[in-house]
């Protein structure tokens, strides 16, 4: 076997003499690279110079060769100390260089690495082209880009496209405000944002780019609408809708906040009757709910999103019960019974009132003769859903059906209120009020009947509430909302569990001739897709006076929007398209008679409900997507976007996907295990919050230029010098806390900005943006650059890593850390997507390499095992691995380092080559992204014999046992050798305490009471002496006789 020193000559010979080279009959000396060895090596080389120059102190012949060596190392030291090597990395120049090279490489697909695995579809939610990207965009697109690049290096055929959600109100409003065509405004914004996206360093497939406002795209949106219409899943109906008076359009329920305001304009939403277009999403409600269980497997979708979807679908099981209605003034008058749906029939004994929606038929009937009710109904639609307002119907009363069976236990006659909090589409628009067991009912009842006592009919125990049967105003006036046991107020059902009692109540009502039946209720309602705006996909329907509603024939698609005229665009009420007579007036495709086009346009959520399918077949002019492309590429493997889309967009996309899986466009639906789901794995990134300055006395948000940041930890108001409050809040113009990602990239470089953003917080959590810590990322890059410069000196053509079984301890430790980092990175990128942890692991590996020495035989005949010294080729391989692990996160910087590491040039590397017009030293197919992603070694434990370590364990200088364990880390042994013992003492003590031998000793006699005084580690941690305080026993006499006393002495045994 070759000697360890012999096989580790690579570093010396790579940076020293080349024995076989001849020049003029003399051996030529290759000048060491000025930036190839870290500063710690300068001292070694200086000692070499002194050795050569020392007069009479050695046997070295001062020949011409030694003069050349001396001159060579002198030049090395001078070059290394030059300002050029200390210059700061120009990350912006690196970005420009590699972005230009990548752009050029797209023209030659043959230069790219050929995939050896199947497709992998990574998709971030596409942006609305507002004209400016924000940090939230940067975060989501960085996350998707990291995954896409990693999958590419792992050998997948990656689909990572980009497009534009271009329709919508902002473009139309901008057209009105600025006097521009919304189409032109949109195209201009796309151009700006596309350049911003390229500046982020993303790997986008621009050949698949789509724009939803392009007729080539919305032609197929119209085709999907017609298919839904043909199946009866798209229909027109008149209904009370949410109307935004500022944007002058209809809003879906999901687009109105809890206070009744528009999600976009902020206007108070009005309720008006309009004929609208709907999509029958309720036909798919069972599948939409059931298949959430499939998405929960292996945490493929976040639990939070699954819960939000389940709540929005809102399946409830309970009972429908009817309450008779009468007017005591007119006993002969017949009213239809009021039918309510309740999930808690066990609380029927506690009903105190009924509440009706403002649209209930009984309310409309009574309003005809009631001016007071008419006045209430005028302002009720403007009230928020949580409003406690209500109008009691005079003289009209309801009868609780349970009262005829248990007359002494409950209120028989009930008041009836009209209340805005009751939804018209919840059951039959009527609810029973149980203030003792429902928080909302309790608040409403106290508002209207504040001093009345409220019966408690369910309690937490079978014996009921101690000394309390009713709620009265005061501190304990809190409803009991959980299930439990019925109280004594429930007659024969006393002490029955809630669920069983509820079933028995329904059965009892039915037996006694009352209407009651078990029922199921869903919260979800059909999707309202009509919008009274011009900048949207035209609904492909024609209205003929003779034929009625006529679909536009498929061969006449697309129905193209007319050119925009600002005159009709500024019209008020209805759709602006109503005034475009040349466009509206047309011929009926069925009878040929005069007809009119539908002037409502589609909700933009229709476009985004299927766009992911278009990306995989973007040039198909005949169909939205071919069955072949769909079966090959769907579902999307990883979908990345904000939690704010957890309900609307994701629910609609699932609906359309499941519908298309019943058509010829995606007949397989992704297989039996997918069931037509569009997105296999969902990542929801947290929002980005900005640093916000607030004036304490007034609560006013302050502009950054108003703040004195001389002391960043104590920001002050420049004008007065007073301290200001600092918080992190959602970025907005009104809070002056927005951050332009383009400015950050220009200042720090794309890669540093990307890495900083990923490192600051887990992907799913809120990111509090702060630029100050980005200096830590810059330092990391500098250490990587230093490591690469050291590794590039290794001549890998002549020197290979030593066999694993010949590893030194320090080499085994480096090898193990590299393998563990590969394992962690692979797990993160394939499953957990904990990208902050990935960067932490990469920084740790960088630090290890930065503190590791490359062995050189000119220094010693054999390396010390107590220092981090490794073979040159192993160091080179570890650096190679580090760069490939970094590449998905820091693509341009990794490319630059990769080029440097594998450069064949011997010119000292003292600056970044930013000339993108030159011929590259290596072709593009030698890009780091054409190198494979590292795969962990299958060798479980290199140098197992080196890892074994025997310890003689002494207690107070007496040997107690011998312990065999793993060898302590090399850096701890080095510290022990340098008399820096604290860490090694703590490490060895922990090892000994975990041993079985130590535990047995502690259990003997009084050993467990001994207090440890100090730890002595000697002989390279092969001897460890634990020094304990001694326990001395003496007997004392007391009034009760002799007793033994234990005392701790400061003296030591032995």
């Amino acid at each position: 076997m070759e000697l360890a020193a012999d096989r580790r000559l690579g570093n010396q010979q790579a940076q020293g003499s080349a024995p076989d080279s001849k020049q003029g009959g003399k051996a030529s000396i290759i000048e060491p690279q000025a930036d190839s060895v870290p500063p710690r090596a300068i001292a070694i080389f200086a000692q070499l110079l002194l050795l050569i120059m020392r007069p009479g102190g050695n046997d070295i012949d001062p020949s011409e060769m030694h003069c050349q060596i001396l001159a060579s190392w002198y030049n090395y030291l001078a070059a290394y100390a030059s300002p050029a090597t200390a210059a700061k990395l120009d990350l912006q120049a690196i970005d420009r260089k590699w972005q230009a090279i990548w752009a050029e490489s797209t023209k030659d697909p043959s230069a790219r690495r050929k995939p050896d695995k199947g497709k992998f579809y990574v998709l971030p939610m596409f942006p609305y082209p507002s004209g400016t990207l924000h940090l939230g965009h940067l975060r989501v697109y960085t996350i998707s880009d990291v995954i896409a690049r990693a999958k590419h290096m792992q050998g997948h055929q990656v689909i990572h496209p980009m497009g534009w959600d271009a329709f919508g109100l902002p473009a139309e409003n901008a057209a009105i405000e600025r006097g521009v065509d919304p189409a032109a405004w949109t195209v201009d914004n796309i151009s700006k944002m596309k350049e911003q996206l390229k500046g982020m360093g993303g790997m986008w497939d621009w050949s698949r780019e789509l724009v939803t406002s392009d007729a080539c795209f919305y032609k197929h949106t119209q085709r999907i609408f017609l298919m839904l219409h043909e199946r009866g899943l798209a229909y027109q109906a008149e209904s009370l809708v949410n109307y935004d008076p500022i944007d002058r359009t209809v809003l879906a329920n999901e687009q109105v906040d809890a206070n009744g305001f528009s999600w976009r304009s902020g206007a108070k939403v009005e309720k008006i009757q309009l004929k609208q277009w709907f999509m029958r999403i309720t036909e798919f409600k069972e599948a939409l709910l059931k298949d959430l269980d499939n998405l929960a497997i292996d945490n493929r979708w976040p639990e939070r999103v699954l819960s939000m979807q389940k709540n929005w679908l809102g399946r409830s099981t309970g009972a429908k019960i009817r309450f008779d209605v009468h007017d005591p003034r007119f006993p002969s008058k017949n009213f239809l019974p009021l039918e309510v749906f309740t999930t808690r029939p066990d609380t029927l004994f506690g009903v105190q009132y009924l509440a009706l929606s403002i649209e209930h038929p009984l309310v409309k009937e009574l309003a005809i003769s009631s001016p007071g009710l008419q006045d209430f109904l005028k302002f009720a639609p403007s009230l928020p859903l949580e409003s406690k307002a209500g109008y009691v119907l005079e003289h009209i009363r309801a009868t609780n059906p349970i009262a005829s069976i248990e007359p002494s236990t409950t209120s028989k006659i009930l008041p009836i209120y009209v209340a805005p909090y009751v939804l018209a589409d919840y059951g039959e628009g009527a609810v029973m009020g149980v203030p003792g067991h429902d928080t909302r009912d309790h608040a409403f009842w106290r508002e209207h009947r504040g001093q009345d006592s409220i019966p408690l009919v369910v309690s937490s125990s079978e014996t009921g509430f101690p000394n309390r049967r009713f709620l009265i105003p005061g501190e304990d006036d809190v409803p009991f909302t959980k299930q439990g046991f019925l109280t004594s107020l429930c007659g024969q059902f006393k002490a029955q569990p809630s669920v069983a009692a509820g079933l028995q109540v329904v059965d009892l009502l039915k037996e006694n001739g009352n209407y009651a039946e078990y029922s199921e209720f869903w919260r979800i309602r059909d999707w309202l897709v009509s919008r009274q705006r011009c900048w949207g996909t035209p609904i492909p329907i024609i209205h003929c006076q003779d034929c009625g509603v006529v679909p536009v024939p498929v061969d006449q698609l697309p129905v193209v929007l007319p050119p925009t005229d600002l005159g009709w665009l500024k019209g008020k009420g209805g759709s602006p398209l109503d005034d475009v007579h040349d466009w509206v007036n047309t011929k009926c495709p069925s009878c040929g008679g005069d007809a009119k086009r539908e002037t409502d346009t589609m909700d933009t959520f229709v476009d985004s409900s299927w766009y992911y399918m278009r990306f995989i077949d973007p040039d198909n002019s005949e169909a939205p997507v071919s069955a072949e492309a769909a079966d090959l590429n769907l579902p999307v493997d990883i979908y990345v976007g904000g939690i704010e889309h957890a309900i609307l967009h994701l629910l609609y996309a699932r609906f359309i996907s499941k519908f298309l899986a019943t058509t010829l466009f995606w007949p397989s639906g992704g297989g039996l295990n997918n069931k037509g789901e569009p997105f296999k794995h969902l990542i929801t990134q947290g929002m980005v919050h900005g640093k916000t300055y607030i004036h304490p006395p007034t609560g006013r948000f302050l502009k950054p230029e108003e703040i004195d940041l001389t002391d960043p930890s104590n920001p002050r108001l420049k004008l007065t010098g007073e301290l200001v409050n600092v918080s992190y809040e959602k970025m907005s113009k009104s809070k002056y806390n927005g951050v332009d990602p383009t400015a950050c990239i220009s200042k720090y470089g794309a890669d540093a900005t990307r890495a900083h953003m990923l490192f600051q917080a887990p992907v799913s959590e809120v990111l509090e943006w702060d630029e100050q810590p980005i200096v830590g990322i810059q330092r990391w890059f500098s250490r990587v650059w230093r490591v690469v410069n050291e590794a590039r000196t290794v001549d890998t053509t002549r020197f290979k890593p030593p066999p694993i079984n010949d590893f030194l301890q320090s080499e085994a430790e480096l090898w193990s850390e590299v393998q563990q980092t590969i394992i962690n990175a692979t797990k993160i990128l394939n499953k957990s997507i904990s990208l902050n942890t990935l960067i932490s692991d990469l920084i740790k590996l960088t630090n290890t390499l930065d503190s590791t020495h490359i062995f050189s035989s000119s220094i010693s005949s054999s390396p010390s095992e107590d220092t981090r010294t490794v073979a040159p080729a192993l160091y080179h391989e570890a650096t190679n691995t580090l760069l490939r692990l970094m590449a998905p996160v820091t693509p341009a910087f990794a490319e630059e380092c990769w080029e440097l590491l594998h450069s064949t040039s011997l010119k000292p590397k003292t600056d970044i080559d930013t000339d993108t017009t030159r011929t590259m030293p290596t072709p593009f197919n030698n890009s780091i992204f054409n190198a494979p992603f590292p795969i962990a070694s299958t060798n479980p434990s290199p140098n197992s014999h080196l890892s074994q370590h025997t310890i003689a364990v002494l207690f107070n200088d007496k040997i107690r046992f011998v312990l065999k364990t793993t060898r302590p880390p090399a850096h701890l042994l080095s510290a022990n050798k340098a008399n820096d013992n604290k860490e090694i003492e703590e490490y060895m003590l922990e090892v000994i305490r975990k041993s079985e031998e130590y535990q047995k000793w502690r259990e003997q006699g009084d050993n467990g009471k001994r207090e440890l005084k100090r730890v002595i580690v000697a002989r390279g941690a092969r001897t460890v002496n634990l020094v304990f305080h001694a326990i001395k026993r003496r007997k004392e006499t007391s009034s009760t006789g002799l007793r033994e006393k234990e005392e701790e002495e400061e003296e030591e045994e032995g």
Side-chain angles (χ1 to χ4, degrees):
M1 179 182 293
E2 59 180 347
L3 296 177
D6 294 332
R7 64 177 173 77
R8 291 175 168 81
L9 294 178
N11 192 46
Q12 179 202 22
Q13 293 189 6
Q15 60 193 29
S17 60
D20 298 331
S21 299
K22 301 288 183 180
Q23 184 176 0
K26 300 177 182 179
S28 64
I29 304 299
I30 301 174
E31 182 178 358
Q33 304 303 303
D35 58 353
S36 63
V37 181
R40 62 177 177 271
I42 294 179
I44 299 173
F45 298 139
Q47 291 175 5
L48 176 61
L49 294 179
L50 291 174
L51 179 65
I52 295 174
M53 297 174 67
R54 187 173 61 190
N58 53 62
D59 298 328
I60 297 177
D61 180 18
S63 62
E64 183 179 358
M65 170 67 76
H66 294 110
C67 291
Q68 288 181 328
I69 294 174
L70 177 62
S72 176
W73 289 120
Y74 175 82
N75 291 336
Y76 165 80
L77 290 174
Y80 199 96
S82 68
T85 58
K88 191 175 182 180
L89 280 171
D90 190 346
L91 297 175
Q92 295 88 337
I94 294 175
D95 286 342
R96 290 191 296 271
K97 168 184 172 179
W98 287 102
Q99 287 171 16
I101 292 172
W102 294 334
E104 189 66 23
S105 73
T106 59
K107 301 176 183 178
D108 183 16
S110 64
R112 303 176 192 173
R113 181 188 179 197
K114 299 299 186 291
D116 51 21
K117 295 181 181 178
K119 71 90 190 176
F120 200 93
Y121 189 178
V122 183
L123 182 64
M125 295 180 184
F126 64 168
Y128 176 79
S130 61
T132 305
L133 294 175
H134 53 69
L135 280 177
H137 288 124
L138 177 60
R139 192 179 194 192
V140 65
Y141 300 138
T142 298
I143 293 167
S144 75
D145 188 61
V146 169
I147 298 169
R149 288 182 180 276
K151 293 299 178 182
H152 170 78
M153 294 180 71
Q154 289 173 351
H156 290 277
Q157 177 66 50
V158 174
I159 302 174
H160 189 222
M162 180 53 67
W164 310 95
D165 192 9
F167 273 137
L169 284 170
E172 190 168 334
N173 290 340
I176 295 171
E177 294 168 7
R178 305 176 192 185
V180 297
D181 188 324
W185 185 82
T186 298
V187 170
D188 185 54
N189 285 350
I190 288 174
S191 178
K192 294 175 183 176
M193 294 176 70
K194 194 170 181 179
E195 288 305 308
Q196 291 176 311
L197 275 173
K198 290 179 179 179
M200 292 179 180
M203 186 184 75
W204 309 108
D205 184 352
W206 290 108
S207 68
R208 299 176 184 270
E209 182 182 13
L210 61 81
V211 181
T212 59
S213 60
D214 189 328
C216 293
F217 177 87
Y218 68 71
K219 165 187 177 179
H220 302 292
T221 306
Q222 293 172 340
R223 174 77 180 277
I224 293 171
F225 179 93
L226 293 177
M227 295 170 65
L228 288 160
H229 185 266
E230 183 181 2
R231 293 262 293 269
L233 298 175
Y235 65 94
Q236 194 175 30
E238 188 170 288
S239 68
L240 192 68
V241 296
N242 304 305
Y243 187 76
D244 184 327
I246 291 181
D247 283 335
R248 301 190 305 280
T249 191
V250 168
L251 301 173
N253 288 336
E254 302 93 321
Q255 296 168 327
V256 181
D257 68 19
N259 296 315
F261 292 94
S262 168
W263 73 308
R264 186 179 293 280
S265 73
K268 192 67 177 178
V269 172
E270 300 173 356
K271 295 280 189 178
I272 62 174
Q273 284 282 347
L274 280 179
K275 203 167 188 180
Q276 303 288 295
W277 283 95
F278 295 84
M279 289 186 182
R280 210 180 297 274
I281 191 173
T282 52
E283 285 292 311
F284 287 77
K285 62 181 185 291
E286 294 281 0
L288 290 170
L289 179 63
K290 182 180 178 181
D291 293 344
L292 289 174
D293 294 338
N294 193 42
L295 298 176
I297 297 173
D298 295 330
N299 298 313
R300 287 165 47 194
W301 278 40
E303 175 56 36
R304 181 182 177 190
V305 175
L306 297 173
S307 178
M308 293 170 75
Q309 293 247 323
K310 287 178 182 177
N311 290 339
W312 190 255
L313 290 164
R315 182 173 69 180
S316 303
T317 56
K320 289 191 289 187
I321 300 172
R322 288 179 183 169
F323 292 72
D324 289 333
V325 179
H326 62 278
D327 184 342
R329 300 173 303 165
F330 307 103
S332 61
K333 186 173 182 178
N334 293 322
F335 292 91
L336 291 175
L338 293 177
E339 183 174 294
V340 304
F341 172 83
T342 178
T343 59
R344 295 289 303 276
D346 58 312
T347 63
L348 188 61
F349 292 95
V351 175
Q352 300 297 293
Y353 68 94
L354 298 186
L356 309 179
S357 76
I358 59 176
E359 303 155 52
H360 195 280
L362 179 60
V363 174
K364 293 180 178 180
E365 177 186 343
L366 296 176
I368 297 173
S369 58
S370 174
L373 179 55
Q374 292 174 11
D375 292 339
F376 178 79
L377 294 178
K378 287 178 182 178
F379 76 85
S382 64
L383 297 173
L385 290 176
E386 70 274 12
S387 170
K388 295 187 286 290
Y391 183 90
V392 64
L393 297 178
E394 292 184 273
H395 310 299
I396 307 298
R397 297 292 181 266
T399 303
N400 191 333
I402 200 68
S404 62
I405 303 170
E406 295 281 356
S408 63
T409 61
T410 187
S411 301
K412 181 177 181 180
I413 305 301
L414 307 172
I416 304 174
Y417 288 84
V418 181
Y421 79 80
V422 182
L423 301 176
D425 53 6
Y426 185 84
E428 299 297 324
V431 300
M432 63 186 206
V434 188
H437 303 285
D438 184 274
T439 303
R440 184 184 55 189
D441 294 351
H442 181 272
F444 183 87
W445 190 243
R446 283 290 177 233
E447 179 74 16
H448 296 275
R449 302 281 284 268
Q451 298 305 311
D452 287 10
S453 60
I454 299 173
L456 291 169
V457 299
V458 179
S459 70
S460 57
S461 67
E462 296 183 41
T463 57
F465 293 105
N467 305 317
R468 189 163 68 123
R469 301 174 68 193
F470 297 90
L471 292 178
I472 58 175
E475 292 184 2
D476 296 329
D477 187 20
V478 179
F480 178 73
T481 59
K482 299 178 181 179
Q483 292 186 341
F485 300 88
L486 273 61
T487 68
S488 59
L489 296 177
C490 302
Q492 61 181 293
F493 297 99
K494 176 185 176 182
Q496 291 289 325
S498 288
V499 175
L503 297 174
Q504 293 176 32
V505 165
V506 173
D507 291 339
L508 185 63
L509 290 173
K510 293 167 68 176
E511 291 171 5
N512 284 270
N514 295 285
Y515 176 85
E517 64 178 27
Y518 305 114
S519 183
E520 184 178 79
F521 173 78
W522 292 76
R523 181 187 176 195
I524 189 173
R525 292 294 175 264
D526 285 341
W527 177 11
L528 171 61
V529 297
S530 283
R531 296 295 180 269
Q532 290 70 46
R533 306 301 292 179
C534 75
W535 193 237
T537 299
I539 294 177
I541 292 293
I542 291 173
H543 299 278
C544 175
Q545 191 170 2
D546 295 327
C547 304
V549 174
V550 181
V552 174
V554 172
D555 60 5
Q556 294 181 22
L557 298 179
V559 177
V560 180
L561 285 170
T564 303
D565 185 307
L566 295 179
W568 54 258
L569 188 59
K570 294 181 180 180
K572 295 182 178 180
S575 171
L577 294 175
D578 286 333
D579 295 329
V580 191
H581 302 296
D582 291 342
W583 183 83
V584 172
N585 295 319
T586 186
K587 296 295 182 181
C588 173
S590 179
C591 69
D594 292 340
K596 292 183 180 294
R597 294 190 186 279
E598 173 63 58
T599 57
D600 282 359
T601 54
M602 292 187 216
D603 181 7
T604 55
F605 280 117
V606 179
D607 304 320
S608 59
S609 70
W610 77 279
Y611 79 109
Y612 49 89
M613 292 188 171
R614 188 62 181 171
F615 275 132
I616 61 174
D617 198 7
D619 300 321
N620 190 334
S621 61
E622 301 300 320
V625 62
S626 70
E628 293 77 14
D631 287 340
L632 182 64
N633 297 296
L634 292 177
V636 174
D637 290 285
I638 293 183
Y639 195 42
V640 188
I643 191 68
E644 63 271 20
H645 298 297
I647 296 176
L648 300 178
H649 163 58
L650 291 176
L651 193 64
Y652 297 153
R654 294 181 63 220
F655 161 54
I656 293 299
S657 177
K658 287 182 177 296
F659 166 70
L660 290 176
T662 67
T663 71
L664 295 177
F665 294 142
W666 192 22
S668 72
L672 294 176
N673 292 328
N674 189 64
K675 301 178 181 178
E677 290 290 340
F679 314 119
K680 185 182 297 184
H681 188 108
L682 175 68
I683 299 172
T684 52
Q685 88 284 355
M687 298 184 70
V688 182
H689 286 184
K691 185 177 287 187
T692 310
Y693 300 102
I694 304 170
H695 188 225
T698 63
R700 179 173 67 91
F701 294 112
L702 301 171
K703 299 177 182 178
E705 54 266 28
E706 297 181 77
I707 308 301
D708 178 4
L709 293 174
T710 305
D711 179 2
S713 60
N714 292 293
R716 296 179 180 273
L717 189 63
K718 287 181 180 178
L719 192 61
T720 64
E722 58 188 316
L723 289 170
V724 300
N725 293 336
V726 180
S727 65
Y728 286 89
E729 301 187 23
K730 182 179 178 181
M731 291 184 178
S732 71
K733 293 180 180 178
S734 63
K735 295 177 181 178
Y736 310 110
N737 63 353
V739 176
D740 180 4
T742 305
C744 291
I745 290 172
S746 299
K747 185 176 180 181
Y748 301 108
D751 284 0
T753 305
R754 284 163 59 113
H756 173 64
M757 174 165 279
L758 296 175
F759 188 46
Q760 285 299 100
V763 164
S764 61
E765 294 183 10
V766 170
L767 169 62
E768 296 182 345
W769 180 257
D770 184 0
E771 289 185 14
Q772 287 184 334
I774 205 169
V775 67
I777 297 296
Q778 293 173 321
R779 292 195 190 106
W780 173 38
F781 284 8
S782 295
R783 290 193 296 275
V784 173
W785 188 251
R786 190 161 61 232
V787 166
V788 172
N789 271 287
E790 181 160 347
R792 71 188 284 258
T793 65
V794 178
D795 186 353
T796 56
T797 63
R798 289 198 290 167
F799 299 97
K800 304 300 179 184
I804 287 180
N805 290 333
D806 290 344
F807 275 173
L808 303 175
Q809 178 66 25
S810 55
E811 291 171 334
E813 289 177 1
L814 176 60
W815 186 93
S816 296
E817 183 170 344
V818 169
Q819 301 310 307
Q820 189 59 53
T821 306
I822 295 173
I823 292 170
N824 293 347
T826 304
K827 182 178 180 181
I828 288 169
L829 291 167
N830 288 348
K831 191 169 184 179
S832 70
I833 318 297
S834 304
L835 300 181
N836 59 321
T837 304
L838 171 63
I839 295 176
S840 178
D841 289 342
L842 295 176
I843 292 173
K844 181 181 177 183
L845 179 56
T846 302
N847 293 342
T848 297
L849 286 167
D850 195 34
S851 61
T852 297
H853 300 266
I854 295 180
F855 171 65
S856 173
S857 64
S858 64
I859 308 303
S860 172
S861 60
S862 62
S864 168
E865 293 192 6
D866 289 347
T867 60
R868 289 181 177 174
T869 306
V870 301
L874 180 61
Y875 190 92
H876 186 281
E877 179 61 27
T879 305
N880 179 300
T881 300
L882 171 65
L883 295 182
R884 286 183 288 149
L885 294 172
M886 287 180 62
V889 176
T890 60
F893 181 63
E895 288 272 35
E896 185 70 23
C897 292
W898 185 260
E899 182 185 73
L900 173 62
L901 182 65
H902 297 283
S903 173
T904 57
S905 170
L906 295 176
K907 175 185 175 182
K909 185 77 171 178
T910 59
D911 203 356
I912 303 298
D913 183 359
T914 58
D915 181 6
T916 59
T917 63
R918 63 166 174 77
T919 302
M920 292 180 58
T922 54
F924 182 80
N925 58 13
N926 285 338
S927 161
I928 194 170
F929 292 104
N930 288 333
F933 195 79
I935 299 175
S937 171
T938 56
N939 191 312
S941 178
N943 291 48
S944 57
H945 64 284
L946 290 174
S947 300
Q948 294 176 0
H949 191 71
T950 303
I951 310 169
V953 181
L954 293 79
F955 294 167
N956 293 356
D957 296 330
K958 297 177 182 178
I959 189 165
R960 297 288 182 174
F961 54 86
V962 175
L963 181 64
K964 289 187 177 182
T965 183
T966 56
R967 182 179 176 85
H971 71 282
L972 293 183
L973 294 174
S974 300
N976 180 232
K977 191 174 182 180
N979 293 322
D980 182 8
N981 296 325
K982 184 176 180 181
E983 281 193 73
I984 187 67
E985 288 171 359
E986 292 177 351
Y987 177 88
M988 298 308 299
L989 179 60
E990 184 67 17
V991 170
I992 293 170
R993 281 178 168 170
K994 289 181 178 179
S995 69
E996 184 178 350
E997 292 87 346
Y998 179 80
Q999 295 297 329
K1000 288 180 179 178
W1001 176 83
R1002 292 283 288 177
E1003 294 171 0
Q1004 295 172 3
D1006 296 320
N1007 291 337
K1009 299 179 181 180
R1010 291 175 177 264
E1011 181 180 348
L1012 182 66
K1013 186 175 182 180
R1014 67 174 180 266
V1015 180
I1016 303 171
V1017 180
R1019 298 178 62 246
R1022 292 180 178 85
T1023 301
V1024 180
N1025 186 13
L1026 305 186
V1027 181
F1028 294 93
H1029 290 295
I1031 296 179
K1032 184 177 180 180
R1033 293 180 174 84
R1034 59 188 176 87
K1035 294 183 179 180
E1036 287 187 351
T1037 303
S1038 69
S1039 58
T1040 58
L1042 293 176
R1043 64 184 177 87
E1044 193 172 75
K1045 181 178 180 180
E1046 296 179 354
E1047 288 184 347
E1048 288 191 354
E1049 306 262 341
E1050 290 299 321
E1051 59 194 79
E1052 299 166 12
E1053 293 182 359

